[in-house]
């Protein structure tokens, strides 16, 4: 069955405007994109770069060491055990949040296709993220402030609300602009989200970290922030909360809402749940779309493993310090801004499926080159490493080469996210993008442990971490092979 054809299996939805007008810089298109400028810094700062590592190391790990529970171990073994406990705690948060989101997001998406205005629902999710994020300021080591279970609860609430907000926001993409402009609108949103995170990272570096470490550009950390109390890490929560609350206003004022005024939400959830069950049972009627979701299940897990475990590779082989990792985060976020724009441009030039395959292929090749770099040499020993300059960050050729390759990963990974959701809009039956974005959310979480599991098993089997990292490419290859088998229906503009 043509994915674009009317679906005879479900009751017709309330009549809605099926598409929007204008492009990425139009009123509604830019409003849709600016939402990610407001929201995405939460994920980048809290989940990836700043708060999660702080929580794992300086609260969970440090509290375990201080408790005396590990006093019988050698110092190195005790630190390893503390690190493992911290990592396991973060993994537990991610596991439970992903589990809740995976079970509920499709039903939310289906209800969004049938219910009333989406903006009030989205405001509830953003409110949960804002409050949870602001309270992270009180997450302190040594039993002060919030308890560990409460911190974990806040992180789960924010993570699930973030996923719900993503499903709701994505369900509004189809009316953000002209169909042929949606790729650029989607890419602009991702670009703006990463640009916002870059600006916050730069502010943290200039106002707090650099003054404390090297006395520049200020003699001391500004606003009385005390790095010995981890206030620079705790401050990320309130900063993201204020940023989200302030910058989401233009979205609510100007974005187009595809919801039906006055529609019953209880009825929408009941009918939406029935539709999701029917959709799963009748998967053969959506063969091309289901093949795409299967493809995404593999390549998205490969990408997540590459991004997460790539940092471990840097720490082990290149021994980058905290300042270098902060600069890495800034550089990667700036490049990711370009990736969102590049993804939209490539989709317009090559078509969404071909663009997505090229983006995944670029990640595979770049990841392979990254694995050829060590502190001693580059390209599997063909080029000897040497010191390029006598600076406090990235002094060697290996450092600079790896940093350059990170730019390619950042650009193509971001572009692939943009291309993936544009492809789903193209494949989903008209008027039901919310439901399928819920299934899309499942496809991004159901195999979330497959990449790390492959890396672990291949590393144990070979005794070589680079061979372990090499196994990630199996996921990419299965994903891109499945993707290439998807047939795209031609739709009129």
């Amino acid at each position: 069955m043509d994915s674009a054809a009317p679906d005879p299996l479900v009751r017709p939805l309330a009549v809605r405007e099926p598409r929007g007008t204008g492009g990425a810089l139009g009123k509604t298109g830019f409003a849709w994109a600016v939402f990610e400028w407001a929201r995405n810094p939460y994920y980048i700062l809290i989940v990836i770069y700043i708060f999660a590592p702080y929580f794992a190391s300086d609260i969970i790990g440090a509290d375990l060491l201080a408790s005396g529970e590990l006093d019988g171990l050698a110092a190195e073994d005790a630190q390893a055990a503390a690190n493992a406990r911290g990592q396991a705690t973060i993994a537990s948060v991610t596991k439970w949040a992903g589990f809740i989101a995976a079970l509920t997001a499709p039903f939310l998406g289906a209800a969004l296709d049938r219910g009333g205005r989406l903006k009030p629902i989205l405001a509830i999710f953003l409110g949960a993220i804002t409050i949870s994020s602001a309270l992270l300021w009180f997450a302190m080591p040594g039993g002060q402030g919030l308890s560990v279970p409460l911190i974990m609860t806040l992180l789960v609430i924010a993570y699930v609300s973030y996923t719900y907000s993503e499903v709701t926001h994505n369900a509004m993409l189809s009316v953000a602009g002209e169909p042929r402009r949606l790729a650029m609108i989607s890419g602009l949103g991702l670009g703006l989200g990463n640009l916002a995170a870059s600006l916050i990272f730069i502010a943290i570096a200039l106002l707090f970290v650099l003054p404390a470490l090297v006395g520049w550009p200020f003699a001391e950390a500004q606003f009385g922030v005390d790095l010995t109390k981890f206030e620079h890490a705790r401050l990320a929560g309130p900063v993201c909360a204020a940023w989200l609350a302030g910058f989401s206003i233009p979205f609510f004022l100007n974005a187009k809402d595809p919801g039906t005024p006055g529609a019953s939400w209880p009825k929408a959830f009941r009918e939406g749940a029935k539709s999701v069950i029917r959709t799963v049972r009748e998967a053969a009627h959506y063969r091309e779309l289901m093949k795409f979701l299967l493809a995404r299940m593999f390549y998205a897990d490969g990408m997540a493993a590459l991004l997460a475990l790539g940092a471990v590779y840097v720490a082990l082989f290149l021994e980058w310090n905290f300042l270098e990792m902060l600069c890495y985060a800034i550089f990667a976020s700036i490049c990711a801004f370009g990736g969102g724009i590049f993804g939209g441009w490539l989709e317009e030039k090559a078509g969404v499926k071909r663009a997505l395959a090229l983006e995944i292929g670029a990640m595979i090749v770049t990841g392979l080159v990254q694995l050829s770099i060590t502190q001693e040499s580059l390209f599997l020993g063909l080029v000897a490493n040497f010191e390029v300059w006598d600076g406090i960050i990235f002094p060697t050729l290996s450092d600079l080469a790896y940093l350059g390759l990170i730019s390619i990963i950042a650009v193509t990974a971001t572009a692939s996210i943009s291309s993936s959701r544009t492809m789903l809009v193209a494949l989903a039956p008209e008027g039901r993008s919310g439901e399928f974005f819920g299934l899309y959310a499942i496809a991004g979480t159901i195999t979330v442990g497959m990449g790390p599991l492959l890396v672990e098993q291949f590393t144990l089997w070979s005794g070589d971490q680079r061979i372990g990292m090499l196994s990630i490419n199996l996921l990419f290859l299965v994903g891109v092979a499945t993707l290439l088998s998807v047939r795209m229906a031609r739709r009129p503009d």
Side-chain angles (χ1 to χ4, degrees), residues 44-60:
I44 296 171
L45 271 72
I46 304 300
V47 178
I48 300 177
Y49 288 116
I50 293 183
F51 187 83
Y54 157 69
F55 181 47
S57 174
D58 299 307
I59 295 183
I60 301 298

Side-chain angles (χ1 to χ4, degrees), residues 232-279:
H232 60 302
R234 293 160 45 205
L235 192 61
V239 166
C240 289
W243 189 278
L244 175 58
F247 284 112
S248 62
I249 293 174
F251 166 82
F252 284 102
L253 291 178
N254 299 313
K256 183 175 289 188
D257 191 329
T260 304
S264 168
W265 279 109
K267 182 179 178 181
F269 274 98
R270 288 195 302 270
E271 293 186 354
K274 294 176 183 178
S275 178
V276 170
I277 294 171
R278 278 195 298 265
T279 298

Side-chain angles (χ1 to χ4, degrees), residues 140-163:
M140 294 176 276
Q144 305 178 64
L146 304 177
S147 66
V148 167
L150 184 53
I151 297 171
M152 294 175 67
T153 300
L154 290 174
L155 292 174
V156 169
I157 291 172
Y159 192 111
V160 173
S161 299
Y162 188 94
T163 301

Side-chain angles (χ1 to χ4, degrees), residues 95-120:
K95 175 190 70 178
W96 284 110
F99 181 71
I100 294 169
L103 287 179
T104 55
F107 300 99
L108 169 66
L112 295 176
D113 290 330
R114 293 160 172 79
R117 291 302 190 189
L118 272 58
K119 287 182 181 179

Side-chain angles (χ1 to χ4, degrees), residues 6 19 24 33 57 72 85 96 100 211 236 250 253 272 307-308 376 379 437 462 468:
R19 60 190 66 187
S57 174
R85 179 73 64 85
W96 284 110
I100 294 169
L253 291 178
L307 295 176
E376 291 75 35
F379 314 126
F437 267 119
S462 66

